[in-house]
Amino acid sequence: MNEFKQAREEYESTPIPEELDQRVREGIRQGRSAGRAKRHSFRWGIGVAAACLVMVGGLNVSPTFAAAAADVPVLGGLFQVLTVRNYETVKDGIDYDVSVPEVEADGAVTEAVNAEIQERVDAHLAQAKADWDAYKEAFFATGGTEEQWGDREMNVIIDYDIKSQTDTTVSFVVDFAGGWVAAQQQRYCYNLDIANDKDITLADVLGEDWVNICNTAVQAYIDQDTSGLFFTPDQGGFTTVDDTTSFYMNQDGSVTLVFPEYAIAAGAAGIVEIPVEG
């Protein structure tokens, strides 16, 4: 029996004091409301981060707390999604805001996903520090002064958002962002069928005609756009989706395609998300 199953049995058999349940749920409601706003800005509140740290710590050590916190991003059925690293700190001029998920379940696909996420987290943090150190060194090497440097700071952000879930499937995204001379963001999508230990594909969701369905939706989206930011095919713009096209599943069963910065549009468009109806 793995640790998750053992913990589940323990907390299901443990009574929760009414006052604890009420306090925890109130805190979670406030944290979730603030968390939604947090994901859309580069500067997030210390109070929310502190609340998340307390909540995640409780989830990791207390089955009773886990039971009371059942309506946070933690899934029932065959698996859980837990926040395994969560901190906000400033060090050497870098403002870190980090929230890293891990899917807790038996199976090769979740093991691979967790390893991939951790590898990307480590690489993102290492690259951010290297870039910042190089920028700072070049600034002073070319005559910059401490006064001119002032309170310059680099923002490094890692966060995730669960887009949909059932007892056996989950779709979530992990965002990596950094802001200093210019802002950059990467979004990775994970769509998992835990019961069958596999990744969910666009063909699984949309059927055999998935390429045509997606291409029609993308072209319609581009045709109605008035920003002028989308590249033409001759400029390297959109031509077709394929097996590498990122997407996530929404709770209503629809799909949203995700195109990285500069993939089909100018950088000002940021990450482009295009909804697709099945």
Side-chain angles (χ1 to χ4, degrees), residues 41-176:
S41 68
F42 260 66
R43 302 296 299 221
W44 299 327
I46 295 176
V48 175
C52 288
L53 284 169
V54 172
M55 183 177 69
V56 171
L59 284 169
N60 288 336
V61 302
S62 171
T64 301
F65 197 105
D71 57 334
V72 298
V74 177
L75 312 184
L78 300 178
F79 62 102
Q80 287 184 315
V81 176
L82 300 177
T83 306
V84 293
R85 293 169 68 181
N86 191 321
Y87 61 88
E88 181 176 328
T89 187
V90 178
K91 183 178 180 181
D92 299 328
I94 303 178
D95 188 340
Y96 296 94
D97 197 332
V98 176
S99 184
V100 180
E102 179 177 284
V103 183
E104 185 172 336
D106 295 327
V109 67
T110 53
E111 183 177 348
V113 164
N114 291 336
E116 180 179 286
I117 292 173
Q118 189 57 60
E119 182 178 350
R120 285 173 169 163
V121 167
D122 293 341
H124 184 67
L125 296 176
Q127 188 62 55
K129 187 177 187 310
D131 288 345
W132 185 242
D133 289 345
Y135 171 65
K136 187 174 183 179
E137 181 180 353
F139 179 87
F140 288 111
T142 53
T145 66
E146 290 288 350
E147 183 179 1
Q148 290 171 329
W149 180 263
D151 58 354
R152 297 187 187 202
E153 198 172 78
M154 182 183 196
N155 296 99
V156 175
I157 299 168
I158 302 172
D159 198 10
Y160 73 97
D161 187 19
I162 296 175
K163 298 297 185 178
S164 65
Q165 63 188 64
T166 68
D167 284 344
T168 60
T169 67
V170 63
S171 181
F172 65 98
V173 301
V174 183
D175 287 325
F176 297 81

